[in-house]
Amino acid sequence: MSIPDAPPGRRRWTALVLIALAQFAVIMDTSIIGVALPEMQGDLGFSQENLSWVFNAYVIAFGGLLLLGGRLSDLFGAKRIFVAGWTVLAAGSLVAGLASEVWVELTGRALQGVGAALIAPSALTLLMMLFGARPKELTKALALYGAAAPAGGTAGAFLGGVITEYASWPWVFYINIPIALAVLAVTPAVMPSAPVRRGSVDLAGAATVTAGLATAVYAIVRAPETGWGSASTWLVLLAGLALIAAFVAIQSKRREPLMRLGIWRARNLAGANIAQLLMAAAWIPMWFFLNLYLQQVLGLGAFASGAALLPMTVATMIMMVVLAPRLIARFGTKPLIVIGLLSLAAGMLWLSFARVDGTFWVDVLPASLLAAAGMSLAFIPSLGTALSSARPEEGGLASGIVNTSYQVGSALGLAAMTAVAAGYGANELGDPDALTNGFSAAFLGAAALAAVGGLASLLTLRTAPAPESAHREERPAKADAA
């Protein structure tokens, strides 16, 4: 993609630092609350079943509005939407930190999700604007961008532990404010601009997909309380599915839809997004329940629990930055996606054998490192495949779709595994045996999701050439994707 004022040389890599920081921050906001959840539960009065809504309020707004964020990036320019997103994220962080009641906390978290929904697709669009015409640099840029996700996940868990232990939980939200101010100060000088395009914004589509996702997650989360055989559970779930179906119908009829349905005919777009969705549906519940297992069963404090996740994240970052690009160049993307998801499933399966009298060294570390290896192998090739499948002028849409897949997977995966864990006793606080049974069931369910993702990738992805040969065949590939 050719951009008139794309920053040259060193400024491009400075811009990449901000883009990676954006990925770091939006993922950090999903994990930083994990260690702080027990204190937030006591201070704000969350029940054990509803505690996951501190996570889901963020992820539903994030995932539900990502397509809108991508569309706005295409229409008004990714740089403008990037700035707007950081502004909203800072405001939501302030509200969440000041909250003294459950509804205020969830409102702040939802606002943070709205900001993240503007930041994530615009950041990926900016990355493609800066590096899309340089395949070798693009692989490096995607590796750094991908490594920012586990870095944000672990930094969130670790910082959440430090802040909760030595300050108070509101500071897990306030930390976003100085980061946002720094990004807003530097962005105008280093990010490329794009002209405003003519077009309309599909607000009806954005409303129906967000409402559908929220309704479906709500039905799954409350199912253990109302019963899976309850009429109300299935009525709410069907309402959510009906809203999602309405979204698809709206997209098929509008002249300028939020998501052009024809984009799904692009080679490998659907397969790559399925991989991202099921990867997130396994990975995010692992973080959530591993935090709870470390604190509520093994008895680790907030700081120690956050520190216990550092080895997994450091390993993920090293493998994403150093190993994954070399393996992609050598073997292409499909084998890594399939092997990575199956390795992630194996790590989850190992975690499901965690014991009530277990230890970090035996029950957590080796299994988490295996899961980290799987995530490292699958994340970057599936992300790159999803982004490169679309036409250049639909970069914002492709970014919005792949981010939506990941966040929808996060929300639905966590909701489903929360229901599974509750069904096996994870809502019985103070009973380590019941908690361990519940957490083990959640890990096993997550393993199944990752395994399904590996099988789906094997069946749906067409073998793609490695980046070097893809560069030589750039024109035919683009014609096929179009």
Side-chain angles (χ1 to χ4, degrees):
M1 185 183 297
S2 176
I3 302 301
D5 60 346
R10 186 177 300 174
R11 286 173 59 201
R12 283 191 297 113
W13 295 100
T14 303
L16 178 61
V17 171
L18 293 189
I19 292 168
L21 183 61
Q23 173 76 335
F24 176 93
V26 298
I27 299 301
M28 181 182 73
D29 281 338
T30 66
S31 65
I32 197 169
I33 53 96
V35 178
L37 284 175
E39 287 201 12
M40 294 176 66
Q41 182 178 15
D43 288 350
L44 299 179
F46 281 98
S47 67
Q48 183 78 349
E49 293 86 352
N50 292 329
L51 192 58
S52 64
W53 280 100
V54 180
F55 177 89
N56 284 329
Y58 175 84
V59 172
I60 288 171
F62 188 3
L65 295 173
L66 274 164
L67 291 175
L68 178 61
R71 174 65 173 165
L72 293 175
S73 294
D74 287 338
L75 288 178
F76 299 107
K79 181 177 179 179
R80 295 182 182 89
I81 302 305
F82 189 72
V83 168
W86 279 103
T87 304
V88 175
L89 180 67
S93 300
L94 182 62
V95 173
L98 293 173
S100 58
E101 297 182 35
V102 167
W103 71 270
V104 179
E105 179 61 42
L106 297 183
T107 299
R109 288 291 283 165
L111 277 174
Q112 285 185 303
V114 173
L118 299 176
I119 292 170
S122 58
L124 268 177
T125 302
L126 289 166
L127 185 150
M128 295 301 289
M129 290 167 66
L130 291 164
F131 298 97
R134 304 168 176 84
K136 290 185 178 179
E137 289 188 356
L138 177 61
T139 300
K140 295 178 182 178
L142 284 174
L144 291 171
Y145 176 87
T154 295
F158 182 71
L159 288 174
V162 173
I163 291 169
T164 304
E165 188 88 13
Y166 298 108
S168 58
W169 64 260
W171 286 95
V172 303
F173 303 114
Y174 295 150
I175 193 173
N176 287 313
I177 297 174
I179 295 175
L181 293 175
V183 171
L184 291 173
V186 179
T187 292
V190 299
M191 289 297 184
S193 299
V196 175
R197 299 179 184 176
R198 291 185 177 182
S200 61
V201 178
D202 181 11
L203 295 178
T208 51
V209 70
T210 304
L213 175 61
T215 305
V217 170
Y218 178 69
I220 296 171
V221 169
R222 69 192 290 265
E225 181 181 348
T226 60
W228 281 103
S230 165
S232 64
T233 296
W234 287 100
L235 285 174
V236 175
L237 184 58
L238 288 173
L241 296 176
L243 285 166
I244 293 172
F247 165 73
V248 175
I250 291 170
Q251 302 313 287
S252 68
K253 295 178 180 179
R254 287 187 66 92
R255 289 183 56 189
E256 296 185 71
L258 194 63
M259 180 180 68
R260 184 179 68 84
L261 297 181
I263 195 174
W264 291 102
R265 291 195 292 269
R267 188 179 79 170
N268 286 336
L269 182 72
N273 277 277
I274 290 171
Q276 284 273 316
L277 185 146
L278 291 171
M279 183 195 312
W283 180 255
I284 296 301
M286 183 202 71
W287 277 92
F288 186 84
F289 289 107
L290 195 53
N291 266 309
L292 294 179
Y293 173 72
L294 289 167
Q295 292 187 68
Q296 296 181 351
V297 177
L298 298 189
L300 299 185
F303 176 81
S305 178
L309 300 174
L310 282 175
M312 176 172 59
T313 306
V314 172
T316 305
M317 291 174 61
I318 292 174
M319 285 186 281
M320 278 192 177
V321 173
V322 177
L323 185 61
R326 296 179 181 179
L327 293 176
I328 292 171
R330 176 67 178 85
F331 299 105
T333 56
K334 179 176 178 177
L336 296 188
I337 296 170
V338 173
I339 293 171
L341 283 165
L342 294 179
S343 299
L344 177 59
M348 301 291 104
L349 178 62
W350 196 339
L351 280 173
S352 72
F353 293 103
R355 301 164 298 164
V356 67
D357 57 348
T359 66
F360 166 74
W361 299 104
V362 174
D363 297 82
V364 175
L365 181 61
S368 66
L369 290 178
L370 179 57
M375 181 67 169
S376 303
L377 292 176
F379 183 83
I380 293 173
S382 59
L383 175 64
T385 300
L387 291 174
S388 62
S389 297
R391 299 196 297 247
E393 64 270 21
E394 291 186 315
L397 175 58
S399 301
I401 288 173
V402 70
N403 274 289
T404 298
S405 297
Y406 191 89
Q407 297 305 325
V408 167
S410 300
L412 294 179
L414 181 60
M417 293 309 105
T418 297
V420 168
Y424 281 85
N427 56 347
E428 298 180 23
L429 287 176
D431 185 343
D433 289 299
L435 289 170
T436 303
N437 288 337
F439 299 155
S440 295
F443 292 137
L444 187 60
L449 292 174
V452 170
L455 178 61
S457 298
L458 180 65
L459 297 176
T460 61
L461 290 174
R462 294 170 59 188
T463 302
E468 286 85 350
S469 57
H471 183 43
R472 291 194 296 270
E473 301 172 7
E474 184 174 357
R475 290 182 182 275
K478 285 185 177 179
D480 184 68

Coordinates of all heavy atoms in Angstrom, one line a residue, residues 326-389:
R326 N 11.6 -17.2 11.5 CA 12.5 -18.2 10.8 C 11.8 -19.4 10.3 O 12.0 -19.9 9.2 CB 13.7 -18.5 11.7 CG 14.6 -17.4 12.0 CD 15.7 -17.8 12.9 NE 16.6 -16.7 13.3 CZ 17.7 -16.7 14.1 NH1 18.0 -17.9 14.6 NH2 18.4 -15.6 14.3
L327 N 10.9 -19.9 11.2 CA 10.1 -21.1 10.8 C 9.1 -20.8 9.7 O 8.8 -21.6 8.9 CB 9.4 -21.6 12.1 CG 10.3 -22.2 13.2 CD1 9.5 -22.6 14.4 CD2 11.1 -23.4 12.6
I328 N 8.5 -19.6 9.8 CA 7.6 -19.2 8.7 C 8.3 -19.1 7.4 O 7.8 -19.6 6.3 CB 7.0 -17.8 9.0 CG1 6.0 -17.9 10.2 CG2 6.2 -17.3 7.8 CD1 5.5 -16.6 10.7
A329 N 9.5 -18.5 7.4 CA 10.3 -18.5 6.1 C 10.7 -19.8 5.6 O 10.8 -20.1 4.4 CB 11.6 -17.6 6.4
R330 N 10.9 -20.8 6.5 CA 11.4 -22.1 6.1 C 10.2 -23.0 5.7 O 10.3 -23.8 4.7 CB 12.1 -22.8 7.3 CG 12.6 -24.2 7.1 CD 13.6 -24.3 6.0 NE 14.1 -25.7 5.8 CZ 13.5 -26.6 5.1 NH1 12.4 -26.2 4.4 NH2 14.0 -27.8 4.9
F331 N 9.1 -23.0 6.5 CA 8.0 -24.0 6.3 C 6.7 -23.4 5.8 O 5.8 -24.1 5.4 CB 7.8 -24.7 7.6 CG 9.0 -25.5 8.1 CD1 9.7 -25.1 9.2 CD2 9.4 -26.7 7.5 CE1 10.8 -25.8 9.6 CE2 10.4 -27.4 7.9 CZ 11.2 -26.9 9.0
G332 N 6.6 -22.0 5.8 CA 5.3 -21.5 5.5 C 4.4 -21.4 6.7 O 4.8 -21.7 7.8
T333 N 3.1 -21.0 6.5 CA 2.3 -20.7 7.6 C 1.4 -21.8 8.1 O 1.3 -22.0 9.3 CB 1.3 -19.5 7.3 OG1 0.6 -19.8 6.1 CG2 2.2 -18.2 7.0
K334 N 0.9 -22.6 7.2 CA -0.1 -23.6 7.6 C 0.5 -24.6 8.6 O -0.2 -24.9 9.6 CB -0.7 -24.3 6.4 CG -1.7 -25.4 6.7 CD -2.3 -26.1 5.5 CE -3.2 -27.2 5.9 NZ -3.9 -27.8 4.7
P335 N 1.6 -25.2 8.3 CA 2.2 -26.2 9.3 C 2.3 -25.6 10.7 O 2.1 -26.3 11.7 CB 3.5 -26.6 8.7 CG 3.4 -26.3 7.2 CD 2.5 -25.1 7.2
L336 N 2.8 -24.3 10.8 CA 3.0 -23.7 12.1 C 1.7 -23.5 12.8 O 1.6 -23.7 14.0 CB 3.7 -22.4 12.0 CG 5.2 -22.5 11.4 CD1 5.8 -21.1 11.5 CD2 6.0 -23.5 12.1
I337 N 0.6 -23.1 12.1 CA -0.7 -22.9 12.7 C -1.2 -24.2 13.3 O -1.7 -24.2 14.4 CB -1.7 -22.3 11.7 CG1 -1.2 -20.9 11.3 CG2 -3.0 -22.1 12.3 CD1 -2.0 -20.3 10.1
V338 N -1.2 -25.2 12.5 CA -1.7 -26.5 12.9 C -0.9 -27.1 14.1 O -1.5 -27.4 15.2 CB -1.7 -27.5 11.8 CG1 -2.1 -28.9 12.3 CG2 -2.6 -27.1 10.7
I339 N 0.4 -27.1 14.0 CA 1.3 -27.6 15.1 C 1.1 -26.8 16.3 O 1.1 -27.3 17.5 CB 2.7 -27.7 14.6 CG1 2.9 -28.8 13.5 CG2 3.7 -28.1 15.8 CD1 4.2 -28.8 12.9
G340 N 1.1 -25.5 16.1 CA 1.0 -24.5 17.3 C -0.3 -24.8 18.1 O -0.3 -24.8 19.3
L341 N -1.4 -24.9 17.4 CA -2.7 -25.1 18.1 C -2.8 -26.4 18.8 O -3.3 -26.6 19.9 CB -3.9 -25.0 17.1 CG -4.2 -23.5 16.7 CD1 -5.1 -23.5 15.5 CD2 -4.9 -22.8 17.9
L342 N -2.2 -27.5 18.2 CA -2.2 -28.8 18.8 C -1.2 -28.8 20.0 O -1.5 -29.4 21.1 CB -1.7 -29.9 17.8 CG -2.7 -30.1 16.7 CD1 -2.1 -31.2 15.7 CD2 -4.1 -30.5 17.2
S343 N -0.1 -28.0 20.0 CA 0.7 -27.9 21.1 C 0.1 -27.1 22.2 O 0.2 -27.4 23.4 CB 2.1 -27.2 20.7 OG 2.8 -27.9 19.7
L344 N -0.7 -26.1 21.9 CA -1.5 -25.3 22.9 C -2.5 -26.2 23.5 O -2.7 -26.2 24.8 CB -2.2 -24.2 22.2 CG -3.1 -23.3 23.0 CD1 -2.4 -22.6 24.2 CD2 -3.8 -22.2 22.2
A345 N -3.1 -27.1 22.8 CA -4.1 -28.1 23.3 C -3.4 -29.0 24.3 O -3.9 -29.3 25.4 CB -4.7 -28.9 22.2
A346 N -2.2 -29.5 23.9 CA -1.4 -30.4 24.8 C -1.1 -29.7 26.1 O -1.1 -30.3 27.2 CB -0.1 -30.8 24.1
G347 N -0.7 -28.4 26.1 CA -0.4 -27.6 27.3 C -1.6 -27.5 28.2 O -1.5 -27.7 29.4
M348 N -2.8 -27.2 27.6 CA -4.0 -27.1 28.4 C -4.4 -28.5 29.0 O -4.8 -28.5 30.2 CB -5.2 -26.7 27.5 CG -5.0 -25.4 26.8 SD -5.1 -24.0 27.9 CE -3.4 -23.6 27.9
L349 N -4.2 -29.5 28.2 CA -4.5 -30.9 28.8 C -3.6 -31.2 30.0 O -4.0 -31.7 31.0 CB -4.2 -31.9 27.7 CG -4.5 -33.4 28.0 CD1 -5.9 -33.6 28.5 CD2 -4.1 -34.3 26.9
W350 N -2.3 -30.8 29.9 CA -1.4 -31.0 31.0 C -1.8 -30.2 32.2 O -1.8 -30.8 33.3 CB 0.0 -30.6 30.6 CG 1.1 -31.1 31.4 CD1 1.1 -31.5 32.7 CD2 2.5 -31.2 31.1 NE1 2.3 -31.8 33.2 CE2 3.2 -31.6 32.2 CE3 3.2 -30.9 29.9 CZ2 4.6 -31.8 32.2 CZ3 4.6 -31.1 29.9 CH2 5.3 -31.5 31.0
L351 N -2.3 -29.0 32.0 CA -2.8 -28.2 33.1 C -4.0 -28.8 33.8 O -4.2 -28.6 35.0 CB -3.1 -26.8 32.7 CG -1.9 -25.8 32.5 CD1 -2.3 -24.5 31.9 CD2 -1.2 -25.5 33.9
S352 N -4.8 -29.6 33.0 CA -6.0 -30.1 33.6 C -5.7 -31.2 34.7 O -6.6 -31.5 35.5 CB -6.9 -30.8 32.5 OG -6.3 -32.0 32.0
F353 N -4.4 -31.6 34.8 CA -4.1 -32.6 35.8 C -3.5 -31.9 37.1 O -3.0 -32.5 38.0 CB -3.0 -33.5 35.3 CG -3.5 -34.5 34.2 CD1 -3.2 -34.2 32.9 CD2 -4.3 -35.5 34.5 CE1 -3.7 -35.1 31.9 CE2 -4.8 -36.4 33.6 CZ -4.5 -36.2 32.2
A354 N -3.7 -30.5 37.1 CA -3.2 -29.8 38.3 C -3.9 -30.4 39.6 O -5.1 -30.7 39.6 CB -3.6 -28.3 38.2
R355 N -3.1 -30.4 40.7 CA -3.6 -31.1 41.9 C -3.9 -30.0 43.0 O -3.4 -28.9 43.0 CB -2.5 -32.0 42.4 CG -2.0 -33.1 41.5 CD -0.7 -33.7 41.9 NE 0.4 -32.7 41.9 CZ 1.5 -32.8 42.5 NH1 1.8 -33.9 43.2 NH2 2.5 -31.9 42.4
V356 N -4.7 -30.4 43.9 CA -5.1 -29.5 45.0 C -3.9 -29.2 45.9 O -3.8 -28.2 46.5 CB -6.2 -30.1 45.8 CG1 -5.8 -31.4 46.6 CG2 -6.8 -29.1 46.8
D357 N -2.9 -30.2 46.0 CA -1.7 -30.0 46.8 C -0.5 -29.8 45.8 O 0.6 -30.2 46.2 CB -1.5 -31.1 47.7 CG -1.4 -32.5 47.0 OD1 -1.8 -32.5 45.8 OD2 -1.0 -33.5 47.7
G358 N -0.7 -29.3 44.7 CA 0.3 -29.2 43.7 C 1.3 -28.1 44.0 O 1.2 -27.4 45.0
T359 N 2.3 -28.0 43.1 CA 3.3 -26.9 43.2 C 3.5 -26.2 41.9 O 3.1 -26.8 40.8 CB 4.7 -27.5 43.6 OG1 5.2 -28.4 42.5 CG2 4.6 -28.3 44.9
F360 N 4.0 -25.0 41.9 CA 4.3 -24.3 40.7 C 5.2 -25.0 39.7 O 5.0 -25.1 38.5 CB 4.8 -22.9 41.0 CG 5.4 -22.2 39.8 CD1 4.6 -21.6 38.9 CD2 6.8 -22.1 39.7 CE1 5.2 -21.0 37.8 CE2 7.4 -21.5 38.6 CZ 6.5 -20.9 37.6
W361 N 6.3 -25.6 40.3 CA 7.3 -26.2 39.5 C 6.8 -27.5 38.7 O 7.3 -27.8 37.6 CB 8.5 -26.6 40.3 CG 9.1 -25.4 41.0 CD1 9.0 -25.0 42.3 CD2 9.9 -24.4 40.3 NE1 9.7 -23.8 42.5 CE2 10.2 -23.4 41.3 CE3 10.4 -24.2 39.0 CZ2 11.0 -22.3 41.0 CZ3 11.1 -23.1 38.7 CH2 11.4 -22.1 39.7
V362 N 5.9 -28.2 39.3 CA 5.4 -29.5 38.7 C 4.1 -29.3 38.0 O 3.9 -29.8 36.9 CB 5.3 -30.5 39.8 CG1 4.6 -31.8 39.3 CG2 6.6 -30.9 40.5
D363 N 3.2 -28.6 38.6 CA 1.8 -28.5 38.0 C 1.6 -27.3 37.1 O 0.6 -27.4 36.3 CB 0.8 -28.4 39.2 CG 0.8 -29.7 40.1 OD1 1.7 -29.7 41.0 OD2 0.0 -30.5 39.8
V364 N 2.4 -26.3 37.1 CA 2.2 -25.1 36.3 C 3.2 -24.8 35.3 O 2.9 -24.7 34.1 CB 2.0 -23.9 37.3 CG1 1.9 -22.6 36.4 CG2 0.8 -24.0 38.2
L365 N 4.5 -24.8 35.7 CA 5.6 -24.3 34.8 C 5.7 -25.1 33.5 O 5.6 -24.6 32.4 CB 6.9 -24.3 35.6 CG 8.1 -23.8 34.8 CD1 7.8 -22.3 34.3 CD2 9.4 -23.9 35.6
P366 N 5.9 -26.5 33.6 CA 6.1 -27.2 32.3 C 4.9 -27.1 31.4 O 5.1 -26.9 30.2 CB 6.4 -28.6 32.8 CG 5.9 -28.7 34.2 CD 6.0 -27.4 34.8
A367 N 3.7 -27.2 31.9 CA 2.5 -27.2 31.1 C 2.3 -25.8 30.5 O 2.0 -25.7 29.3 CB 1.3 -27.6 31.9
S368 N 2.6 -24.7 31.2 CA 2.4 -23.4 30.7 C 3.5 -23.1 29.6 O 3.2 -22.4 28.7 CB 2.5 -22.4 31.9 OG 3.8 -22.4 32.4
L369 N 4.7 -23.6 29.8 CA 5.7 -23.4 28.7 C 5.3 -24.1 27.4 O 5.6 -23.6 26.3 CB 7.1 -23.9 29.2 CG 7.7 -23.1 30.3 CD1 9.0 -23.7 30.8 CD2 7.9 -21.6 29.9
L370 N 4.7 -25.3 27.5 CA 4.3 -26.0 26.3 C 3.1 -25.2 25.7 O 3.1 -25.1 24.4 CB 3.8 -27.4 26.7 CG 3.2 -28.3 25.5 CD1 4.2 -28.4 24.4 CD2 2.8 -29.6 26.1
A371 N 2.2 -24.7 26.5 CA 1.1 -23.9 25.9 C 1.7 -22.6 25.3 O 1.3 -22.2 24.2 CB 0.2 -23.5 27.0
A372 N 2.7 -22.0 25.9 CA 3.4 -20.8 25.3 C 4.0 -21.1 24.0 O 3.9 -20.3 23.0 CB 4.4 -20.3 26.3
A373 N 4.7 -22.3 23.9 CA 5.3 -22.7 22.6 C 4.2 -22.8 21.5 O 4.4 -22.3 20.4 CB 6.0 -24.0 22.8
G374 N 3.1 -23.4 21.8 CA 2.0 -23.5 20.9 C 1.5 -22.1 20.4 O 1.2 -21.9 19.2
M375 N 1.2 -21.3 21.4 CA 0.7 -19.9 21.1 C 1.7 -19.2 20.2 O 1.4 -18.5 19.2 CB 0.5 -19.2 22.4 CG 0.0 -17.7 22.2 SD -1.7 -17.8 21.5 CE -2.1 -16.0 21.7
S376 N 3.0 -19.3 20.5 CA 4.0 -18.6 19.7 C 4.1 -19.1 18.3 O 4.3 -18.3 17.3 CB 5.4 -18.9 20.3 OG 5.4 -18.5 21.7
L377 N 3.9 -20.4 18.0 CA 3.9 -20.9 16.7 C 2.7 -20.5 15.9 O 2.8 -20.3 14.7 CB 4.1 -22.4 16.7 CG 5.4 -23.0 17.2 CD1 5.3 -24.5 17.3 CD2 6.5 -22.6 16.4
A378 N 1.5 -20.5 16.5 CA 0.3 -20.3 15.7 C -0.1 -18.8 15.6 O -0.7 -18.5 14.6 CB -0.8 -21.0 16.5
F379 N 0.2 -17.9 16.5 CA -0.3 -16.6 16.5 C 0.1 -15.8 15.3 O -0.7 -15.2 14.5 CB 0.1 -15.8 17.8 CG -0.6 -14.5 17.9 CD1 -1.9 -14.3 18.3 CD2 0.1 -13.3 17.5 CE1 -2.5 -13.1 18.5 CE2 -0.4 -12.1 17.6 CZ -1.7 -12.0 18.1
I380 N 1.4 -15.6 15.0 CA 1.9 -14.7 14.0 C 1.5 -15.2 12.6 O 1.0 -14.4 11.8 CB 3.4 -14.5 14.1 CG1 3.7 -13.7 15.4 CG2 3.9 -13.8 12.9 CD1 5.2 -13.6 15.7
P381 N 1.7 -16.5 12.3 CA 1.3 -16.9 10.9 C -0.2 -16.8 10.7 O -0.7 -16.5 9.6 CB 1.7 -18.4 10.8 CG 2.0 -18.8 12.2 CD 2.4 -17.6 13.0
S382 N -1.1 -17.1 11.7 CA -2.5 -16.9 11.5 C -2.9 -15.5 11.3 O -3.8 -15.1 10.5 CB -3.3 -17.6 12.6 OG -3.0 -17.1 13.9
L383 N -2.3 -14.6 12.1 CA -2.5 -13.2 12.0 C -2.1 -12.6 10.6 O -2.8 -11.9 10.0 CB -1.8 -12.4 13.1 CG -1.9 -10.9 13.1 CD1 -3.3 -10.4 13.3 CD2 -0.9 -10.3 14.1
G384 N -0.9 -13.0 10.2 CA -0.4 -12.5 8.9 C -1.2 -13.0 7.8 O -1.5 -12.3 6.8
T385 N -1.6 -14.3 7.9 CA -2.5 -14.8 6.8 C -3.8 -14.1 6.7 O -4.3 -13.7 5.6 CB -2.7 -16.3 7.1 OG1 -1.5 -17.0 7.1 CG2 -3.6 -16.9 6.0
A386 N -4.4 -13.8 7.8 CA -5.7 -13.1 7.9 C -5.5 -11.7 7.3 O -6.4 -11.2 6.5 CB -6.2 -13.0 9.3
L387 N -4.5 -11.0 7.6 CA -4.3 -9.6 7.1 C -3.9 -9.5 5.6 O -4.4 -8.7 4.9 CB -3.2 -8.9 7.9 CG -3.5 -8.6 9.4 CD1 -2.2 -8.1 10.1 CD2 -4.6 -7.6 9.5
S388 N -3.1 -10.5 5.2 CA -2.7 -10.4 3.8 C -3.7 -11.0 2.8 O -3.5 -10.9 1.6 CB -1.4 -11.2 3.6 OG -1.6 -12.6 4.0
S389 N -4.8 -11.6 3.3 CA -5.8 -12.1 2.4 C -6.7 -11.1 1.8 O -7.3 -11.3 0.8 CB -6.7 -13.1 3.2 OG -5.9 -14.2 3.7

